[in-house]
Amino acid sequence: MMQERPYSDAIARLKSAGLRPTRQRLALARLLFAGGDRHLTAEQLHGEATAEQVPVSLATVYNALHQFTEAGLLREVIVEAGRSYFDTNVSDHHHFFHEDNGRLEDIAGDEVRLGDLPQPPQGKRIRRVDVIIRVENNDR
Ligand SMILES: [Zn+2]
């Protein structure tokens, strides 16, 4: 019974996003969305899939994460070049980045007050502002 509900949730989620619920997408969606708000790298999700004996390559995990992001199911948070997290919380919010352990922690969108933003470049408009506040241990 524990397994059933996340699967039907995952099917509904994929369908509503216009994605065909293939077996691999379903397995990954179930892992991603079964545990509330999460921030995962592709490597972490691949590790979870492997632990659950879901036969899927890291490249497939990457592809699925980008497809889910394009479909609006996930938000990609790029902490630095080559380091992306995929966030199951797609609402407007910001993040603390814990430099000691690489963890992202949500900050409610209204807890960050933005000052004057620069004019966007010619022909562009600002779509979203993501704030990442990097934190380290006090005793360093
Ligand atoms: Zn988040």
Side-chain angles (χ1 to χ4, degrees), residues 13-51:
R13 220 180 260 265
L14 291 176
K15 282 188 171 164
S16 74
L19 291 170
R20 198 160 56 85
T22 62
R23 193 192 311 194
Q24 287 180 327
R25 280 183 186 152
L26 266 178
L28 294 175
R30 188 177 64 84
L31 289 171
L32 274 168
F33 300 114
D37 290 346
R38 309 185 71 195
H39 307 96
L40 282 169
T41 64
E43 290 77 10
Q44 286 168 339
L45 182 59
H46 183 245
E48 289 190 2
T50 304

Short mmCIF file of all heavy atoms in Angstrom, two decimals, residues 13-51:
data_model
loop_
_atom_site.label_atom_id
_atom_site.label_comp_id
_atom_site.label_asym_id
_atom_site.label_seq_id
_atom_site.Cartn_x
_atom_site.Cartn_y
_atom_site.Cartn_z
N ARG A 13 1.13 13.43 -11.83
CA ARG A 13 2.04 14.57 -11.95
C ARG A 13 2.65 14.64 -13.35
O ARG A 13 2.69 15.70 -13.97
CB ARG A 13 3.17 14.40 -10.93
CG ARG A 13 3.58 15.66 -10.25
CD ARG A 13 4.68 15.31 -9.27
NE ARG A 13 4.21 15.18 -7.92
CZ ARG A 13 4.26 16.16 -7.04
NH1 ARG A 13 4.74 17.34 -7.38
NH2 ARG A 13 3.84 15.98 -5.82
N LEU A 14 3.11 13.50 -13.85
CA LEU A 14 3.71 13.48 -15.18
C LEU A 14 2.68 13.83 -16.25
O LEU A 14 2.95 14.63 -17.14
CB LEU A 14 4.32 12.10 -15.47
CG LEU A 14 5.56 11.72 -14.66
CD1 LEU A 14 5.98 10.30 -14.97
CD2 LEU A 14 6.71 12.69 -14.93
N LYS A 15 1.49 13.25 -16.12
CA LYS A 15 0.47 13.50 -17.14
C LYS A 15 0.06 14.96 -17.16
O LYS A 15 -0.11 15.55 -18.22
CB LYS A 15 -0.75 12.60 -16.89
CG LYS A 15 -0.51 11.17 -17.36
CD LYS A 15 -1.78 10.35 -17.29
CE LYS A 15 -1.60 9.00 -17.95
NZ LYS A 15 -2.69 8.07 -17.57
N SER A 16 -0.09 15.54 -15.97
CA SER A 16 -0.53 16.94 -15.93
C SER A 16 0.55 17.85 -16.50
O SER A 16 0.26 18.96 -16.96
CB SER A 16 -0.90 17.36 -14.51
OG SER A 16 0.27 17.52 -13.74
N ALA A 17 1.80 17.40 -16.49
CA ALA A 17 2.89 18.20 -17.06
C ALA A 17 3.09 17.88 -18.54
O ALA A 17 3.98 18.42 -19.17
CB ALA A 17 4.18 17.95 -16.29
N GLY A 18 2.27 16.99 -19.07
CA GLY A 18 2.38 16.66 -20.50
C GLY A 18 3.52 15.70 -20.82
O GLY A 18 3.97 15.63 -21.95
N LEU A 19 4.00 14.97 -19.81
CA LEU A 19 5.08 14.01 -20.03
C LEU A 19 4.51 12.59 -20.02
O LEU A 19 3.72 12.24 -19.15
CB LEU A 19 6.14 14.12 -18.93
CG LEU A 19 6.98 15.39 -18.92
CD1 LEU A 19 7.81 15.47 -17.64
CD2 LEU A 19 7.89 15.46 -20.14
N ARG A 20 4.96 11.81 -20.98
CA ARG A 20 4.51 10.43 -21.04
C ARG A 20 5.12 9.67 -19.86
O ARG A 20 6.33 9.75 -19.62
CB ARG A 20 4.98 9.81 -22.36
CG ARG A 20 4.26 8.55 -22.76
CD ARG A 20 4.43 8.32 -24.27
NE ARG A 20 5.84 8.27 -24.63
CZ ARG A 20 6.59 7.17 -24.56
NH1 ARG A 20 6.08 6.03 -24.13
NH2 ARG A 20 7.86 7.20 -24.91
N PRO A 21 4.27 8.98 -19.08
CA PRO A 21 4.80 8.30 -17.89
C PRO A 21 5.51 6.98 -18.24
O PRO A 21 4.97 5.91 -18.03
CB PRO A 21 3.56 8.07 -17.02
CG PRO A 21 2.41 8.10 -17.96
CD PRO A 21 2.81 8.90 -19.17
N THR A 22 6.72 7.10 -18.77
CA THR A 22 7.52 5.89 -19.03
C THR A 22 7.92 5.28 -17.69
O THR A 22 7.83 5.93 -16.64
CB THR A 22 8.80 6.24 -19.81
OG1 THR A 22 9.60 7.10 -19.00
CG2 THR A 22 8.49 6.93 -21.13
N ARG A 23 8.37 4.05 -17.76
CA ARG A 23 8.71 3.35 -16.53
C ARG A 23 9.83 4.08 -15.76
O ARG A 23 9.79 4.24 -14.55
CB ARG A 23 9.13 1.93 -16.84
CG ARG A 23 9.20 1.07 -15.59
CD ARG A 23 9.87 -0.24 -15.85
NE ARG A 23 9.32 -0.90 -17.04
CZ ARG A 23 9.55 -2.16 -17.34
NH1 ARG A 23 10.29 -2.90 -16.55
NH2 ARG A 23 9.06 -2.70 -18.42
N GLN A 24 10.84 4.54 -16.52
CA GLN A 24 11.95 5.22 -15.85
C GLN A 24 11.54 6.57 -15.27
O GLN A 24 11.90 6.91 -14.15
CB GLN A 24 13.11 5.39 -16.82
CG GLN A 24 13.81 4.06 -17.08
CD GLN A 24 14.96 4.19 -18.04
OE1 GLN A 24 14.93 5.02 -18.95
NE2 GLN A 24 15.99 3.40 -17.84
N ARG A 25 10.75 7.33 -16.04
CA ARG A 25 10.28 8.63 -15.52
C ARG A 25 9.46 8.42 -14.26
O ARG A 25 9.57 9.17 -13.29
CB ARG A 25 9.43 9.34 -16.56
CG ARG A 25 10.23 10.06 -17.62
CD ARG A 25 9.29 10.80 -18.54
NE ARG A 25 9.99 11.39 -19.65
CZ ARG A 25 9.43 11.62 -20.83
NH1 ARG A 25 8.17 11.29 -21.04
NH2 ARG A 25 10.13 12.18 -21.80
N LEU A 26 8.61 7.38 -14.30
CA LEU A 26 7.75 7.10 -13.15
C LEU A 26 8.57 6.77 -11.91
O LEU A 26 8.31 7.27 -10.82
CB LEU A 26 6.85 5.91 -13.45
CG LEU A 26 5.48 6.22 -13.98
CD1 LEU A 26 4.74 4.92 -14.26
CD2 LEU A 26 4.72 7.05 -12.95
N ALA A 27 9.56 5.91 -12.11
CA ALA A 27 10.38 5.51 -10.97
C ALA A 27 11.11 6.72 -10.39
O ALA A 27 11.18 6.90 -9.17
CB ALA A 27 11.39 4.44 -11.40
N LEU A 28 11.62 7.58 -11.26
CA LEU A 28 12.35 8.75 -10.79
C LEU A 28 11.40 9.76 -10.14
O LEU A 28 11.72 10.34 -9.09
CB LEU A 28 13.12 9.40 -11.95
CG LEU A 28 14.25 8.53 -12.52
CD1 LEU A 28 14.87 9.19 -13.74
CD2 LEU A 28 15.32 8.25 -11.47
N ALA A 29 10.22 9.94 -10.73
CA ALA A 29 9.24 10.87 -10.15
C ALA A 29 8.81 10.41 -8.76
O ALA A 29 8.66 11.20 -7.84
CB ALA A 29 8.03 11.02 -11.07
N ARG A 30 8.66 9.09 -8.62
CA ARG A 30 8.25 8.57 -7.31
C ARG A 30 9.32 8.86 -6.26
O ARG A 30 9.03 9.28 -5.15
CB ARG A 30 7.99 7.07 -7.39
CG ARG A 30 7.38 6.49 -6.13
CD ARG A 30 7.09 5.02 -6.31
NE ARG A 30 8.29 4.24 -6.52
CZ ARG A 30 9.07 3.78 -5.54
NH1 ARG A 30 8.77 4.03 -4.29
NH2 ARG A 30 10.14 3.07 -5.82
N LEU A 31 10.59 8.66 -6.64
CA LEU A 31 11.68 8.95 -5.70
C LEU A 31 11.72 10.46 -5.37
O LEU A 31 11.89 10.85 -4.22
CB LEU A 31 13.02 8.54 -6.29
CG LEU A 31 13.29 7.04 -6.41
CD1 LEU A 31 14.57 6.79 -7.20
CD2 LEU A 31 13.40 6.41 -5.02
N LEU A 32 11.55 11.27 -6.41
CA LEU A 32 11.68 12.72 -6.23
C LEU A 32 10.57 13.30 -5.36
O LEU A 32 10.83 14.12 -4.48
CB LEU A 32 11.60 13.41 -7.59
CG LEU A 32 12.87 13.55 -8.40
CD1 LEU A 32 12.52 13.99 -9.81
CD2 LEU A 32 13.82 14.55 -7.75
N PHE A 33 9.33 12.88 -5.64
CA PHE A 33 8.19 13.60 -5.08
C PHE A 33 7.55 12.90 -3.90
O PHE A 33 6.53 13.36 -3.40
CB PHE A 33 7.15 13.86 -6.18
CG PHE A 33 7.69 14.68 -7.31
CD1 PHE A 33 7.82 14.13 -8.58
CD2 PHE A 33 8.10 15.99 -7.10
CE1 PHE A 33 8.34 14.89 -9.63
CE2 PHE A 33 8.61 16.76 -8.14
CZ PHE A 33 8.74 16.20 -9.41
N ALA A 34 8.14 11.82 -3.44
CA ALA A 34 7.52 11.10 -2.33
C ALA A 34 7.86 11.73 -0.99
O ALA A 34 7.20 11.46 0.01
CB ALA A 34 7.95 9.63 -2.34
N GLY A 35 8.89 12.55 -0.95
CA GLY A 35 9.37 13.00 0.36
C GLY A 35 9.26 14.47 0.65
O GLY A 35 10.13 15.03 1.30
N GLY A 36 8.21 15.14 0.18
CA GLY A 36 8.06 16.57 0.47
C GLY A 36 9.07 17.40 -0.31
O GLY A 36 9.55 16.97 -1.35
N ASP A 37 9.40 18.59 0.22
CA ASP A 37 10.33 19.47 -0.49
C ASP A 37 11.74 18.92 -0.41
O ASP A 37 12.25 18.64 0.67
CB ASP A 37 10.31 20.87 0.12
CG ASP A 37 8.99 21.58 -0.17
OD1 ASP A 37 8.25 21.10 -1.05
OD2 ASP A 37 8.73 22.60 0.47
N ARG A 38 12.37 18.77 -1.56
CA ARG A 38 13.72 18.22 -1.59
C ARG A 38 14.59 18.98 -2.58
O ARG A 38 14.08 19.53 -3.57
CB ARG A 38 13.68 16.75 -2.04
CG ARG A 38 12.71 15.89 -1.27
CD ARG A 38 12.83 14.45 -1.69
NE ARG A 38 14.09 13.89 -1.21
CZ ARG A 38 14.60 12.75 -1.67
NH1 ARG A 38 13.98 12.07 -2.61
NH2 ARG A 38 15.72 12.29 -1.18
N HIS A 39 15.88 18.95 -2.32
CA HIS A 39 16.87 19.50 -3.24
C HIS A 39 17.85 18.38 -3.53
O HIS A 39 18.55 17.93 -2.63
CB HIS A 39 17.63 20.67 -2.61
CG HIS A 39 16.73 21.74 -2.07
ND1 HIS A 39 16.36 21.80 -0.76
CD2 HIS A 39 16.12 22.77 -2.69
CE1 HIS A 39 15.56 22.84 -0.58
NE2 HIS A 39 15.40 23.45 -1.73
N LEU A 40 17.91 17.95 -4.78
CA LEU A 40 18.74 16.80 -5.11
C LEU A 40 19.62 17.09 -6.32
O LEU A 40 19.15 17.72 -7.28
CB LEU A 40 17.86 15.61 -5.48
CG LEU A 40 17.19 14.82 -4.37
CD1 LEU A 40 16.17 13.88 -4.98
CD2 LEU A 40 18.22 14.04 -3.58
N THR A 41 20.84 16.60 -6.29
CA THR A 41 21.65 16.63 -7.51
C THR A 41 21.30 15.38 -8.32
O THR A 41 20.71 14.42 -7.80
CB THR A 41 23.16 16.60 -7.19
OG1 THR A 41 23.46 15.35 -6.55
CG2 THR A 41 23.56 17.75 -6.29
N ALA A 42 21.69 15.40 -9.60
CA ALA A 42 21.47 14.22 -10.44
C ALA A 42 22.18 13.01 -9.84
O ALA A 42 21.63 11.90 -9.83
CB ALA A 42 21.97 14.50 -11.86
N GLU A 43 23.37 13.22 -9.31
CA GLU A 43 24.14 12.11 -8.73
C GLU A 43 23.41 11.53 -7.52
O GLU A 43 23.39 10.31 -7.32
CB GLU A 43 25.54 12.57 -8.33
CG GLU A 43 26.47 12.87 -9.49
CD GLU A 43 26.21 14.21 -10.17
OE1 GLU A 43 25.41 15.02 -9.62
OE2 GLU A 43 26.76 14.46 -11.25
N GLN A 44 22.84 12.41 -6.69
CA GLN A 44 22.11 11.91 -5.51
C GLN A 44 20.89 11.09 -5.93
O GLN A 44 20.61 10.04 -5.36
CB GLN A 44 21.68 13.09 -4.61
CG GLN A 44 22.83 13.69 -3.83
CD GLN A 44 22.48 15.02 -3.17
OE1 GLN A 44 21.53 15.69 -3.57
NE2 GLN A 44 23.25 15.38 -2.16
N LEU A 45 20.15 11.61 -6.92
CA LEU A 45 18.97 10.87 -7.37
C LEU A 45 19.37 9.54 -8.00
O LEU A 45 18.73 8.51 -7.77
CB LEU A 45 18.16 11.70 -8.36
CG LEU A 45 16.86 11.05 -8.87
CD1 LEU A 45 15.91 10.72 -7.71
CD2 LEU A 45 16.17 11.93 -9.89
N HIS A 46 20.47 9.56 -8.75
CA HIS A 46 20.96 8.31 -9.34
C HIS A 46 21.33 7.31 -8.24
O HIS A 46 21.02 6.12 -8.34
CB HIS A 46 22.16 8.61 -10.25
CG HIS A 46 22.69 7.40 -10.95
ND1 HIS A 46 23.94 6.88 -10.70
CD2 HIS A 46 22.11 6.59 -11.86
CE1 HIS A 46 24.10 5.81 -11.44
NE2 HIS A 46 23.03 5.60 -12.16
N GLY A 47 21.95 7.82 -7.18
CA GLY A 47 22.29 6.96 -6.04
C GLY A 47 21.05 6.36 -5.39
O GLY A 47 21.04 5.17 -5.05
N GLU A 48 20.01 7.16 -5.25
CA GLU A 48 18.77 6.64 -4.66
C GLU A 48 18.14 5.59 -5.56
O GLU A 48 17.62 4.58 -5.09
CB GLU A 48 17.76 7.77 -4.43
CG GLU A 48 18.15 8.70 -3.30
CD GLU A 48 17.03 9.67 -2.94
OE1 GLU A 48 15.94 9.59 -3.54
OE2 GLU A 48 17.26 10.49 -2.04
N ALA A 49 18.17 5.87 -6.87
CA ALA A 49 17.58 4.91 -7.82
C ALA A 49 18.34 3.58 -7.76
O ALA A 49 17.73 2.51 -7.71
CB ALA A 49 17.61 5.49 -9.23
N THR A 50 19.65 3.67 -7.73
CA THR A 50 20.48 2.47 -7.66
C THR A 50 20.17 1.69 -6.39
O THR A 50 20.02 0.46 -6.41
CB THR A 50 21.97 2.84 -7.73
OG1 THR A 50 22.18 3.61 -8.92
CG2 THR A 50 22.85 1.61 -7.76
N ALA A 51 20.05 2.41 -5.27
CA ALA A 51 19.75 1.75 -4.00
C ALA A 51 18.39 1.05 -4.03
O ALA A 51 18.19 0.05 -3.35
CB ALA A 51 19.81 2.77 -2.85
#
